[in-house]
Amino acid sequence: MKVAILGTGMVGETLGTKLVQSGHEVMMGSRKTGNEKALAWVQKAGSKAKQGSFADAAAFGEIIFNCTLGAGALEALKMAGEKNLANRVLIDLSNPLDFSKGMPPTLFVCNSDSLGEQIQRAFPQTKVVKALNTLNCKLMVDPTMVPGDHNIFVAGNDNAAKEKVIAFLAENFGWKTKAFIDVGDITAARGTEALMLLWIRLMGKFQHGNFNWSIAK
Ligand SMILES: NC(=O)c1ccc[n+]([C@@H]2O[C@H](COP(=O)([O-])OP(=O)(O)OC[C@H]3O[C@@H](n4cnc5c(N)ncnc54)[C@H](OP(=O)(O)O)[C@@H]3O)[C@@H](O)[C@H]2O)c1
């Protein structure tokens, strides 16, 4: 499949590398074609890896991952282009973290709104699925890094899009289908994004990010 990765940070690189290894053609998008990190990734990842602008990548991808900085996500998606994003499934990993006052960060949107909702409102034709934003990127692509059963929350308005995302992540990243918890429509992103406030505290306590949420019933 042709996959777009919007973002040149550690998340984009980690997911892009894994997807190329799984046999997909992956284009990494950035604000500018020829971004240094994107070029370095293409060099390392091999012939199925490409790079371009956010718009190039969005036009290329049959499925699109938003791995951009939370504060820049709407701008990045605007650059990707409403037309390129229309009718596509957009997996939104971004978190609305505000580090402007140092650590720990606050959320720049919360309680009665979320970044996932802002993105869905800005791109009504796009099937936004909030997922993967509550765990470290190394763990996203290798669930065995944490022993036992642990979970990924999925939120979005389109049920078929959520099912597609679950199947894609299970198949390509090695998650069991039962690990995914559909938490409802995109307003559920208010809860999953807010988990980051605790996640960051836990990372500070453990001094690493190799842990995940596990829901017991
Ligand atoms: N680190 C993790 O394990 C992890 C886990 C879960 C979720 N997340 C979330 O995943 C996202 C990506 O994290 P990351 O650490 O890989 O990368 P990041 O440094 O948060 O974001 C890098 C990307 O954001 C773009 N960007 C930055 N400012 C922008 C602006 N003003 N307008 C448009 N685009 C802008 C950059 O564009 P250029 O390429 O042009 O520089 C780059 O592609 C974040 O929202 C983060 O909260 C991270």
Side-chain angles (χ1 to χ4, degrees):
M1 193 186 273
K2 289 180 174 172
V3 183
I5 298 278
L6 307 181
T8 56
M10 65 189 292
V11 179
E13 185 184 342
T14 304
L15 268 55
T17 300
K18 180 71 178 182
L19 289 168
V20 166
Q21 287 166 356
S22 304
H24 298 282
E25 283 184 73
V26 180
M27 188 181 287
M28 179 180 277
S30 173
R31 280 172 284 191
K32 268 194 191 155
T33 303
N35 173 289
E36 213 175 284
K37 285 190 200 166
L39 287 173
W41 173 75
V42 168
Q43 189 81 21
K44 256 198 319 198
S47 63
K48 283 184 183 291
K50 301 173 179 28
Q51 62 80 35
S53 65
F54 284 134
D56 295 333
F60 175 84
E62 295 163 72
I63 190 162
I64 302 170
F65 285 82
N66 175 32
C67 311
T68 60
L69 179 76
L74 282 166
E75 192 52 38
L77 293 169
K78 259 183 231 153
M79 292 171 85
E82 197 172 349
K83 270 198 190 147
N84 291 328
L85 297 173
N87 301 315
R88 304 285 173 88
V89 173
L90 177 76
I91 306 176
D92 175 35
L93 287 83
S94 64
N95 279 309
L97 297 174
D98 177 358
F99 290 97
S100 63
K101 295 189 179 76
M103 283 294 275
T106 55
L107 300 176
F108 63 75
V109 53
C110 60
N111 293 336
S112 54
D113 201 2
S114 62
L115 186 53
E117 287 167 87
Q118 289 184 339
I119 292 171
Q120 183 62 88
R121 281 200 301 275
F123 302 94
Q125 316 267 30
T126 304
K127 295 162 189 172
V128 178
V129 177
K130 189 95 203 180
L132 296 176
N133 63 307
T134 55
L135 66 161
N136 181 267
C137 58
K138 304 285 177 213
L139 184 57
M140 291 176 200
V141 300
D142 182 4
T144 64
M145 283 176 65
V146 168
D149 291 334
H150 42 99
N151 299 109
I152 293 180
F153 307 107
V154 181
N157 296 342
D158 187 299
N159 288 333
K162 285 189 282 193
E163 278 166 27
K164 188 174 171 179
V165 168
I166 290 170
F168 187 83
L169 299 180
E171 185 182 333
N172 291 289
F173 296 165
W175 289 85
K176 293 176 192 152
T177 311
K178 69 171 187 182
F180 296 89
I181 302 181
D182 181 341
V183 286
D185 65 37
I186 194 66
T187 63
R190 297 172 194 178
T192 66
E193 291 173 5
L195 282 178
M196 287 316 292
L197 297 177
L198 180 57
W199 191 95
I200 286 165
R201 292 280 179 166
L202 292 170
M203 189 181 72
K205 181 178 170 67
F206 303 148
Q207 293 293 300
H208 63 77
N210 193 33
F211 59 91
N212 195 15
W213 307 100
S214 175
I215 302 302
K217 284 184 285 189

